[in-house]
Amino acid sequence: MRIDLNCDLGESFGHYSIGNDEEIMNYVSSVNIACGYDAGDPEIMEKTVKLAIKKGVSIGAHPGYPDLQGFGRRPITMSHQALRSMMIYQIGALKAFVEAYGGKLVHVKPHGALYNLASKDYDVALTLAKAIYDVDKNLIFMGLAGSEMIRAGQAAGLKVCRETFADRRYTCDLKLVPRGTEGAVIEKIEDSVKQCLQMIKENKIITIDGEEKNMSGDSICIHGDNKHGLEVVKSLLDSFKENNIKVEAME
Amino acid sequence: MRIDLNCDLGESFGHYSIGNDEEIMNYVSSVNIACGYDAGDPEIMEKTVKLAIKKGVSIGAHPGYPDLQGFGRRPITMSHQALRSMMIYQIGALKAFVEAYGGKLVHVKPHGALYNLASKDYDVALTLAKAIYDVDKNLIFMGLAGSEMIRAGQAAGLKVCRETFADRRYTCDLKLVPRGTEGAVIEKIEDSVKQCLQMIKENKIITIDGEEKNMSGDSICIHGDNKHGLEVVKSLLDSFKENNIKVEAME
Amino acid sequence: MRIDLNCDLGESFGHYSIGNDEEIMNYVSSVNIACGYDAGDPEIMEKTVKLAIKKGVSIGAHPGYPDLQGFGRRPITMSHQALRSMMIYQIGALKAFVEAYGGKLVHVKPHGALYNLASKDYDVALTLAKAIYDVDKNLIFMGLAGSEMIRAGQAAGLKVCRETFADRRYTCDLKLVPRGTEGAVIEKIEDSVKQCLQMIKENKIITIDGEEKNMSGDSICIHGDNKHGLEVVKSLLDSFKENNIKVEAME
Amino acid sequence: MRIDLNCDLGESFGHYSIGNDEEIMNYVSSVNIACGYDAGDPEIMEKTVKLAIKKGVSIGAHPGYPDLQGFGRRPITMSHQALRSMMIYQIGALKAFVEAYGGKLVHVKPHGALYNLASKDYDVALTLAKAIYDVDKNLIFMGLAGSEMIRAGQAAGLKVCRETFADRRYTCDLKLVPRGTEGAVIEKIEDSVKQCLQMIKENKIITIDGEEKNMSGDSICIHGDNKHGLEVVKSLLDSFKENNIKVEAME
């Protein structure tokens, strides 16, 4: 049994510093590095890529909307051509940093509002998937397990990485319970661990309504910018060790 | 005998359209495509790259300062690390478009104020050259003939392309006579043609002071955004044909 | 009888030039000047304000989404607080230029996708109206005649300017027929003139379905960036003269 | 005897938070609020202005170069027209927020690299001063005591506020000892207090070379983004109380 742990980082900008990049890289197997449109800048990208290569974690691009002020969390209505071009642009920029240091860009995970849109809108997801494929057909498309991103990635001929969440509950149709809804976020670390273990070992999950559903995932999203997130990842790593679950990135 | 003709293009932005990209591609052998920092945007880049591949012209990146309002013509005092990172970012972005369409990125020419600075400042030129090398050591560094860019490119292990100008006069130390100085710009097309022919056939040039100096170049910069520029290039092509000078890009 | 003619301008940016600002100012009574977020930049704003004051036309701010690449035509999902703050910012910036030259900022008209959203969404329109009011309660809110902007402007205590279009047909519920629909755009100049005259003299309009409906407007939107637009405005001015309709801005 | 204490703030941006704005406002008499070009955004500006009005501190604009990535600390070579227009734009934007909440914009202090340039270059300082004057001739120009900004502000007809530093040493010609030079920064709080007291009470200062020089200032710059800065300001306030020095902003 194996699972990938991924984390978003490289999100600082110029004089503005956020995140806990160096520490979290000790615990995860994959990192999603911001590409300068909604977070990050070229210097941060270069620094983060160097660190990721040194730490031996798998590197992915984390492209988003051209909106630093909104941190990529505000949907912008764009043409499919505009979406495609901005994907190629951002992935290409990050890929150059990775290759400049002898590394390999492994996956692409859309960020923020773009991730949310692509998880529900097949056409958008397919536009993103084709852009990724056209940059490098060996890139892995990381997206929400069970979402349109997974379907579109497969249709485009890409290997996909089905992302799940350690700290979020699911509805009976296997979507994330929206933030703000009661019970959307799993507060207790042992519940996060339990959900992850069941998903990995049995390919099952208990929904917010208490139903047992089939659910498979290839990677678990970790938040490294707060204390709780670090505790979750440490507890996961302990339980994975006990259960002989290897933590490693897809290839 | 052979010479490359290059032109800056892909400089439109969003709703704003400039240049005469499609026509000029009929006449030149190389194009320098803006990379979205001082001109161009991802959609324009993709469109321009597709057109360049269709027309069979050699493609170069034309990175510049992060300053759309100043069109890359305003020097920004930046650290060498910042210069390096923004080069890798922009070259990588353009490279992804070129490779998405099965093409090959051939050269890099800095734009505007960055070109001017790198032509005089060896350390800056070396920083740019190393960044180019680290993206792809087979890229050609295009810079002002006789300038620090050429020295730095060679020191970094890059192939260099020495750029000369059809419509500019040179000082006795083979620098461009600064715009604004009387005689800086060659007005008559036949004088432009004469200067280019002499440079290609005899590796010589007549400076603004009337001296004959040794001067070699691999590429001539053409301006495609005005009627005069188009006339210059057509006249050059006619005279090159008569003189059995092949117009082709470096490889 | 009187009517205002308004035109969007000051939309150039840095090295990029669009529009025909100086000529169109000879024909209109009001101008809506871009505020640097979706078009225009501080230098263009200063130049355009100076010209408008010299020409004696009434000056309005034309704020929009922070999206130069999309020219303000791409909706961005923003909080009401973000909408409010960006309105105050842009209006304040333009107001400073106007007052620096002894002029007076008279009205505010949202641009592009923001105009479209505010014409249909009362809450958004009210947020914009309150922001305008808070900058200067004597500012006039210019918006689509019959739309939510007019209702919201009045509710906020602002004087409103009901905008109509010379070259667009209306549905039976007095909304603009969407571009792309057959008959949406009035092609013949005499039909544009006829629609405007009937609206001004009889407060009536013939909808795309041939029905006669009540319709009042205070200002007609003119497009100055193409030859047809200039011909329309000249024909309107001729017919207004014949019909003793004064062309002047609201105050 | 009286003195103003000023602090730069409102420098957060979107999702990125820096500074300790709310606490530092308890100690200073004036705040310099970033204007969205090199730091700050419209929402931050509105929030900071509201807080400053609530706390009763005097409000100034803190305009800078259009360079968020460089935090306004990288010089950009710009025309005087461009400098003028960007000053009017930024000051106008902040002024609108201040007036929307019934406050009054009192002063303008250029930020970062623009401050440094204007302190040495009289022509630049005069361009800035005239721009300030043209927005509102009652605005106070805050600049480095003894620098070209003070001369230019007076020549332009503005009231000036001579800024000094609690934690920096001066050369014998009353310029700041450049950062990086030994002794440039005053480490001990009691030395900072001593320098400020001598300057206020005797209009004198001891230079880094130990000479006593005449030196007058109207405002002392405080850093609120670190613990040391807060300790300095508290010690200053204690010593001012003991010495009957009133802390209040210029008007």
Side-chain angles (χ1 to χ4, degrees):
Chain A
M1 284 179 300
R2 52 187 267 185
I3 192 77
D4 177 45
L5 294 182
N6 81 79
C7 183
D8 304 343
L9 38 67
E11 296 182 333
S12 294
F13 181 85
H15 191 64
Y16 300 100
S17 185
I18 53 172
N20 203 1
D21 291 7
E22 191 152 1
E23 184 176 3
I24 196 72
M25 282 197 206
N26 294 326
Y27 307 123
V28 297
S29 39
S30 291
V31 293
N32 319 306
I33 299 179
C35 297
Y37 263 47
D38 53 355
D41 67 41
E43 284 181 84
I44 300 291
M45 289 164 76
E46 183 161 4
K47 188 180 153 194
T48 310
V49 161
K50 281 166 74 173
L51 197 59
I53 287 174
K54 188 178 145 201
K55 298 270 188 179
V57 295
S58 189
I59 299 176
H62 203 204
Y65 284 116
D67 178 22
L68 185 69
Q69 197 177 316
F71 203 63
R73 293 178 175 169
R74 307 190 298 196
I76 303 177
T77 306
M78 295 172 86
S79 70
H80 280 256
Q81 178 59 59
L83 288 171
R84 170 184 169 77
S85 297
M86 82 171 195
M87 284 294 284
I88 296 175
Y89 187 95
Q90 293 180 65
I91 300 168
L94 187 69
K95 191 165 176 272
F97 286 111
V98 177
E99 292 175 2
Y101 289 95
K104 189 185 142 200
L105 185 67
V106 174
H107 70 276
V108 177
K109 171 182 162 182
H111 182 233
L114 187 61
Y115 182 95
N116 293 337
L117 178 61
S119 68
K120 289 173 214 154
D121 184 325
Y122 180 77
D123 292 341
V124 165
L126 191 62
T127 292
L128 305 190
K130 283 181 176 170
I132 295 167
Y133 185 95
D134 286 350
V135 173
D136 179 349
K137 66 179 196 287
N138 296 312
L139 285 168
I140 298 169
F141 189 10
M142 185 186 284
L144 183 65
S147 79
E148 298 299 330
M149 280 193 272
I150 302 306
R151 282 180 55 213
Q154 288 167 333
L158 289 171
K159 201 165 176 176
V160 295
C161 179
R162 297 163 299 175
E163 184 178 40
T164 63
F165 291 80
D167 61 350
R168 296 289 296 277
R169 283 222 172 66
Y170 288 83
T171 63
C172 57
D173 55 349
L174 297 176
K175 294 189 171 12
L176 293 175
V177 176
R179 280 182 194 279
T181 310
E182 209 191 309
V185 174
I186 300 178
E187 307 285 355
K188 288 194 192 161
I189 294 180
E190 59 260 42
D191 292 344
S192 284
V193 171
K194 203 173 154 189
Q195 174 165 296
C196 292
L197 281 182
Q198 191 181 14
M199 195 267 294
I200 298 167
K201 296 173 75 173
E202 307 169 29
N203 291 314
K204 289 200 169 136
I205 214 160
I206 308 295
T207 70
I208 193 166
D209 307 306
E211 285 183 69
E212 191 179 88
K213 289 274 182 183
N214 291 330
M215 168 83 171
S216 303
D218 305 304
S219 186
I220 297 170
C221 183
I222 294 303
H223 300 290
D225 51 356
N226 59 61
K227 214 181 137 194
H228 180 75
L230 286 173
E231 282 170 17
V232 171
V233 67
K234 286 178 194 172
S235 298
L236 284 177
L237 288 175
D238 288 344
S239 73
F240 291 165
K241 203 167 181 184
E242 286 166 27
N243 288 274
N244 288 317
I245 299 168
K246 275 175 83 173
V247 173
E248 57 183 21
M250 285 180 69
E251 272 173 33
Chain B
M1 283 178 302
R2 53 187 268 184
I3 192 77
D4 176 46
L5 294 182
N6 81 79
C7 183
D8 304 343
L9 37 68
E11 295 181 335
S12 295
F13 182 84
H15 191 63
Y16 300 99
S17 183
I18 53 172
N20 204 0
D21 291 6
E22 190 152 2
E23 185 176 2
I24 196 72
M25 282 197 203
N26 295 325
Y27 307 123
V28 297
S29 39
S30 292
V31 294
N32 319 308
I33 300 179
C35 298
Y37 262 48
D38 53 355
D41 66 43
E43 285 181 84
I44 300 290
M45 288 164 76
E46 182 161 5
K47 190 180 152 192
T48 309
V49 161
K50 281 166 73 173
L51 197 60
I53 286 174
K54 188 178 143 201
K55 297 270 187 180
V57 295
S58 189
I59 299 176
H62 202 202
Y65 284 116
D67 179 22
L68 185 69
Q69 197 176 317
F71 204 62
R73 292 176 175 170
R74 307 191 296 198
I76 303 177
T77 305
M78 295 171 85
S79 69
H80 280 256
Q81 178 60 57
L83 288 171
R84 169 184 170 78
S85 297
M86 84 171 194
M87 285 294 283
I88 296 176
Y89 187 95
Q90 293 181 66
I91 300 167
L94 188 70
K95 191 165 178 272
F97 287 111
V98 177
E99 292 177 1
Y101 289 95
K104 188 184 142 198
L105 185 68
V106 174
H107 69 277
V108 177
K109 171 182 162 184
H111 181 234
L114 187 61
Y115 182 95
N116 293 338
L117 177 61
S119 68
K120 289 172 216 154
D121 184 325
Y122 179 77
D123 292 340
V124 166
L126 191 62
T127 292
L128 304 190
K130 283 182 176 169
I132 296 167
Y133 184 95
D134 286 349
V135 174
D136 178 351
K137 66 179 196 287
N138 296 311
L139 285 168
I140 298 170
F141 189 10
M142 185 186 284
L144 183 66
S147 79
E148 298 299 330
M149 279 192 272
I150 302 306
R151 282 180 57 213
Q154 288 167 333
L158 290 171
K159 203 165 175 176
V160 295
C161 178
R162 297 162 300 173
E163 185 179 38
T164 63
F165 291 81
D167 61 348
R168 298 288 296 278
R169 282 220 173 67
Y170 288 83
T171 62
C172 58
D173 56 348
L174 297 176
K175 294 191 171 13
L176 293 175
V177 176
R179 282 182 192 279
T181 310
E182 209 190 310
V185 173
I186 301 178
E187 306 285 355
K188 287 194 192 161
I189 293 180
E190 58 260 42
D191 291 346
S192 283
V193 171
K194 203 172 154 192
Q195 173 165 298
C196 291
L197 281 181
Q198 191 181 13
M199 194 268 293
I200 298 167
K201 295 173 74 172
E202 305 169 31
N203 290 315
K204 288 198 169 137
I205 214 160
I206 309 295
T207 70
I208 194 166
D209 307 308
E211 286 183 71
E212 192 180 88
K213 288 276 181 181
N214 291 329
M215 169 83 172
S216 303
D218 305 304
S219 186
I220 297 170
C221 182
I222 295 302
H223 300 290
D225 51 355
N226 60 61
K227 217 182 133 193
H228 180 75
L230 286 172
E231 282 171 17
V232 170
V233 67
K234 286 177 194 172
S235 298
L236 284 177
L237 288 174
D238 287 345
S239 75
F240 291 167
K241 203 168 182 182
E242 285 166 28
N243 287 274
N244 288 319
I245 297 167
K246 273 174 86 172
V247 173
E248 54 182 25
M250 286 182 66
E251 271 171 34
Chain C
M1 284 179 301
R2 54 186 266 185
I3 192 77
D4 176 45
L5 293 182
N6 81 78
C7 183
D8 303 343
L9 37 67
E11 295 181 335
S12 294
F13 181 85
H15 191 63
Y16 300 99
S17 184
I18 54 172
N20 204 359
D21 291 7
E22 189 151 3
E23 185 177 2
I24 196 72
M25 282 197 204
N26 295 325
Y27 307 123
V28 297
S29 38
S30 291
V31 294
N32 319 308
I33 300 179
C35 298
Y37 263 48
D38 53 357
D41 67 40
E43 284 181 86
I44 300 290
M45 288 165 75
E46 181 161 5
K47 189 181 152 194
T48 309
V49 161
K50 281 167 73 174
L51 197 60
I53 287 173
K54 188 179 144 201
K55 296 272 187 179
V57 294
S58 189
I59 298 176
H62 202 201
Y65 283 115
D67 179 23
L68 185 68
Q69 196 176 317
F71 203 62
R73 291 176 176 171
R74 307 190 296 197
I76 303 177
T77 305
M78 296 171 85
S79 69
H80 281 256
Q81 178 60 57
L83 288 171
R84 169 184 170 78
S85 297
M86 84 170 193
M87 285 293 285
I88 296 175
Y89 188 96
Q90 293 181 65
I91 300 167
L94 188 70
K95 190 165 179 271
F97 287 110
V98 178
E99 292 176 1
Y101 288 95
K104 188 185 142 197
L105 185 68
V106 173
H107 70 276
V108 177
K109 173 183 161 183
H111 182 234
L114 187 61
Y115 182 96
N116 292 339
L117 177 62
S119 68
K120 289 172 214 155
D121 184 325
Y122 179 77
D123 292 339
V124 166
L126 192 62
T127 292
L128 305 190
K130 282 181 176 169
I132 295 167
Y133 185 95
D134 286 349
V135 174
D136 179 350
K137 66 179 197 286
N138 296 310
L139 286 167
I140 298 170
F141 189 9
M142 185 185 284
L144 183 66
S147 79
E148 299 299 329
M149 279 192 272
I150 302 306
R151 281 180 57 212
Q154 288 167 332
L158 289 171
K159 203 167 176 175
V160 294
C161 178
R162 297 163 300 175
E163 184 179 37
T164 63
F165 291 80
D167 62 348
R168 297 290 296 277
R169 283 221 172 68
Y170 288 84
T171 62
C172 58
D173 56 347
L174 297 176
K175 295 191 171 10
L176 293 175
V177 176
R179 280 181 195 280
T181 310
E182 210 191 308
V185 174
I186 301 178
E187 307 285 354
K188 288 194 192 161
I189 293 180
E190 59 260 41
D191 291 345
S192 284
V193 171
K194 204 172 152 191
Q195 173 165 298
C196 291
L197 281 182
Q198 191 182 13
M199 194 268 294
I200 298 167
K201 295 173 74 172
E202 305 169 31
N203 291 314
K204 287 199 169 138
I205 214 159
I206 308 295
T207 71
I208 193 167
D209 307 306
E211 285 184 70
E212 190 179 272
K213 288 275 181 182
N214 291 329
M215 170 82 172
S216 304
D218 305 306
S219 186
I220 298 170
C221 183
I222 295 303
H223 300 290
D225 51 356
N226 60 60
K227 216 181 134 195
H228 180 75
L230 286 172
E231 282 170 18
V232 170
V233 66
K234 286 177 193 171
S235 298
L236 283 177
L237 289 174
D238 288 344
S239 75
F240 291 166
K241 203 168 183 183
E242 285 166 28
N243 286 273
N244 288 318
I245 298 166
K246 274 174 85 173
V247 173
E248 56 181 25
M250 286 181 68
E251 272 171 34
Chain D
M1 284 177 302
R2 52 187 265 184
I3 192 77
D4 176 45
L5 294 182
N6 80 79
C7 182
D8 304 343
L9 39 67
E11 295 181 335
S12 295
F13 181 85
H15 191 64
Y16 300 99
S17 184
I18 53 172
N20 203 359
D21 292 7
E22 190 151 2
E23 184 175 4
I24 196 72
M25 283 197 203
N26 294 325
Y27 308 122
V28 297
S29 39
S30 292
V31 293
N32 319 307
I33 300 179
C35 297
Y37 262 47
D38 54 356
D41 66 41
E43 285 181 84
I44 301 290
M45 288 164 76
E46 182 161 3
K47 189 181 152 193
T48 310
V49 161
K50 281 166 74 174
L51 197 59
I53 287 175
K54 188 178 144 200
K55 296 270 188 180
V57 294
S58 189
I59 299 175
H62 202 204
Y65 283 116
D67 178 22
L68 184 68
Q69 197 177 317
F71 204 62
R73 292 178 175 169
R74 308 190 295 197
I76 303 177
T77 306
M78 296 171 84
S79 69
H80 281 255
Q81 178 60 57
L83 288 172
R84 170 183 168 77
S85 297
M86 82 170 195
M87 285 293 284
I88 296 176
Y89 187 95
Q90 293 180 66
I91 301 167
L94 187 70
K95 191 166 177 271
F97 287 110
V98 178
E99 291 175 2
Y101 288 95
K104 189 184 143 199
L105 185 67
V106 173
H107 69 278
V108 177
K109 171 183 161 183
H111 182 233
L114 187 61
Y115 182 95
N116 293 338
L117 177 62
S119 68
K120 290 172 214 155
D121 184 325
Y122 179 76
D123 292 339
V124 165
L126 192 61
T127 292
L128 304 190
K130 283 181 176 170
I132 295 167
Y133 185 95
D134 286 350
V135 173
D136 179 350
K137 66 179 196 290
N138 295 311
L139 285 167
I140 298 170
F141 189 11
M142 184 186 285
L144 183 66
S147 79
E148 298 299 330
M149 280 192 272
I150 301 307
R151 281 181 56 213
Q154 287 167 332
L158 289 171
K159 201 165 176 176
V160 295
C161 178
R162 298 163 298 174
E163 185 179 39
T164 63
F165 290 80
D167 61 350
R168 297 289 297 277
R169 283 220 173 67
Y170 288 84
T171 63
C172 58
D173 55 350
L174 297 177
K175 294 189 171 12
L176 293 175
V177 176
R179 279 182 195 279
T181 310
E182 209 190 308
V185 173
I186 300 178
E187 307 285 355
K188 287 194 191 161
I189 294 180
E190 59 260 42
D191 291 344
S192 284
V193 170
K194 202 171 154 192
Q195 173 165 297
C196 292
L197 281 182
Q198 191 182 16
M199 194 269 294
I200 297 167
K201 295 172 77 171
E202 306 169 31
N203 291 313
K204 287 196 171 141
I205 214 158
I206 309 295
T207 71
I208 193 166
D209 306 306
E211 285 183 70
E212 190 179 271
K213 288 276 182 182
N214 291 330
M215 168 82 171
S216 303
D218 305 304
S219 186
I220 297 170
C221 183
I222 295 302
H223 300 291
D225 51 356
N226 60 60
K227 214 181 136 195
H228 180 76
L230 286 173
E231 282 171 17
V232 170
V233 66
K234 287 178 194 171
S235 298
L236 283 176
L237 288 175
D238 288 345
S239 75
F240 291 166
K241 203 167 182 185
E242 286 166 28
N243 287 274
N244 287 318
I245 298 167
K246 272 173 87 173
V247 173
E248 56 182 23
M250 285 181 68
E251 273 173 32

